[in-house]
Amino acid sequence: MEGGHSLTITTNYPPAPASPNPQDERDQIKANREFENLWIQRNDVETTLRSALNHLKSCCVILNLSAKCDERLQVSMSHGTTEKYQLMSRTGSSDSLKAAVTLLDDNVIQAEVTIKYPKAGGGFFRAVAQPDVQWKLQQLQDLGNHISRVTYNGDGGEKDHFNSTTGKRILEELKSTMNEISLARNSIMLPRKRSLLELCYFPPTRKFNPPLPQDQLISFYISCCRLVCASYQMVPKTVHPQGLSVFMAESQLPHLDDVIKHLNIVMNIVQKLISYLSATM
């Protein structure tokens, strides 16, 4: 260059960006989850529980559970009324088995059966049971017990005292509620039959007048919200390979259909809240 001067160019590059700190990212994710969890506790828990309890209250009214459920539900005291149901045959010919059952809540007050029975005069056996012993349908009793227990579950805590510990407690209570509701549903959706040996020694079985023939047993149970009467007759294996002829009659119980609808709603809204809380834990 002219004059002997040299030109020096200095370039100042900006500092390289710092590498993201994985720990910082994890801390931020955790903080976001905690924020979401507290938001759910403050805004969703109370609303969900109130809605669930309203549906459970309806179940308590339908099933006359005022003496069993939490008094905070303010279910008016009531006494059940007797209902008579006509059960019609669902297997074989329509006259294979007919029954009429009078219920008072979960108690069988009276049962009348007409069974196709070749050994009886006229080919039919008729009997009435009006037992002087308690004859409860255990499935209906279980239904009431599970529902009443749910009504005593926690109320979600105080709005101003939510934290991660209360979130875990609420989640456990919600899971307990789901379990009880599931058991309540199953008690009237899934059949629960006594074994033939149990039926032989079941006191109400011996209360029919005239007495059941020695080769005949009668059972009553709930299945899919229906009251079912089953007649079991011992027959030669040449007639039936298992040596047992079974006839069934049934009647829909409309009030149980209503109970199932309420329980399904409770399960849906509680499961949704469980999913939200679990995702933020």
Side-chain angles (χ1 to χ4, degrees):
M1 286 190 178
E2 295 182 5
H5 295 289
S6 62
L7 180 63
T8 302
I9 300 176
T10 302
T11 304
N12 293 322
Y13 292 101
S19 300
N21 187 331
Q23 184 60 46
D24 291 342
E25 290 184 354
R26 287 193 291 267
D27 290 343
Q28 185 60 48
I29 292 173
K30 182 180 179 181
N32 290 341
R33 284 184 174 178
E34 289 178 352
F35 176 82
E36 292 174 5
N37 186 275
L38 292 176
W39 190 93
I40 292 170
Q41 290 186 61
R42 292 191 183 100
N43 296 277
D44 285 352
V45 170
E46 183 181 5
T47 303
T48 299
L49 292 181
R50 188 185 302 117
S51 176
L53 286 174
N54 283 337
H55 287 286
L56 291 172
K57 179 178 180 178
S58 297
C59 293
C60 292
V61 172
I62 294 170
L63 298 171
N64 298 309
L65 299 177
S66 55
K68 287 185 175 182
C69 67
D70 192 329
E71 61 183 13
R72 290 176 298 178
L73 265 63
Q74 298 181 340
V75 177
S76 301
M77 289 295 294
S78 61
H79 300 284
T81 57
T82 57
E83 294 284 348
K84 189 171 185 177
Y85 299 95
Q86 300 292 334
L87 285 65
M88 303 304 294
S89 179
R90 54 179 289 202
T91 55
S93 62
S94 59
D95 60 354
S96 298
L97 172 64
K98 294 180 181 179
V101 179
T102 302
L103 295 181
L104 175 61
D105 295 334
D106 54 12
N107 296 282
V108 176
I109 303 301
Q110 186 182 68
E112 309 168 42
V113 294
T114 301
I115 309 165
K116 191 173 184 179
Y117 188 66
K119 298 179 183 179
F124 290 92
F125 173 80
R126 297 177 177 84
V128 178
Q130 195 162 355
D132 53 4
V133 295
Q134 193 175 56
W135 188 356
K136 283 187 174 292
L137 290 175
Q138 186 63 46
Q139 290 167 270
L140 294 183
Q141 191 174 31
D142 290 346
L143 171 68
N145 289 339
H146 289 306
I147 290 176
S148 61
R149 274 199 289 269
V150 173
T151 65
Y152 288 93
N153 274 9
D155 58 6
E158 299 180 21
K159 274 193 171 184
D160 297 331
H161 296 85
F162 288 128
N163 52 46
S164 59
T165 301
T166 59
K168 292 176 182 178
R169 177 180 60 79
I170 291 171
L171 184 58
E172 289 304 312
E173 289 181 355
L174 291 173
K175 289 180 178 179
S176 174
T177 294
M178 280 291 289
N179 182 59
E180 289 287 355
I181 296 298
S182 178
L183 292 173
R185 287 186 79 262
N186 290 344
S187 67
I188 55 175
M189 293 300 292
L190 304 179
R192 193 183 307 166
K193 308 174 187 178
R194 286 184 169 87
S195 68
L196 296 182
L197 183 60
E198 288 173 328
L199 289 174
C200 287
Y201 293 97
F202 185 50
T205 302
R206 304 179 183 183
K207 299 298 180 178
F208 279 94
N209 184 24
L212 296 175
Q214 291 186 347
D215 60 354
Q216 186 79 44
L217 289 171
I218 296 291
S219 174
F220 292 95
Y221 57 89
I222 305 295
S223 177
C224 295
C225 299
R226 296 190 298 266
L227 176 60
V228 180
C229 173
S231 162
Y232 304 95
Q233 182 183 348
M234 315 302 173
V235 296
K237 290 192 175 182
T238 53
V239 176
H240 196 286
Q242 294 182 342
L244 190 67
S245 179
V246 182
F247 297 109
M248 302 175 75
E250 64 180 32
S251 175
Q252 196 73 25
L253 301 180
H255 68 291
L256 294 188
D257 289 329
D258 292 337
V259 169
I260 284 293
K261 289 176 184 176
H262 287 293
L263 294 181
N264 285 343
I265 293 173
V266 173
M267 288 191 74
N268 287 336
I269 61 178
V270 171
Q271 182 57 60
K272 187 178 294 185
L273 183 55
I274 288 175
S275 298
Y276 288 161
L277 282 173
S278 298
T280 59
M281 288 295 185

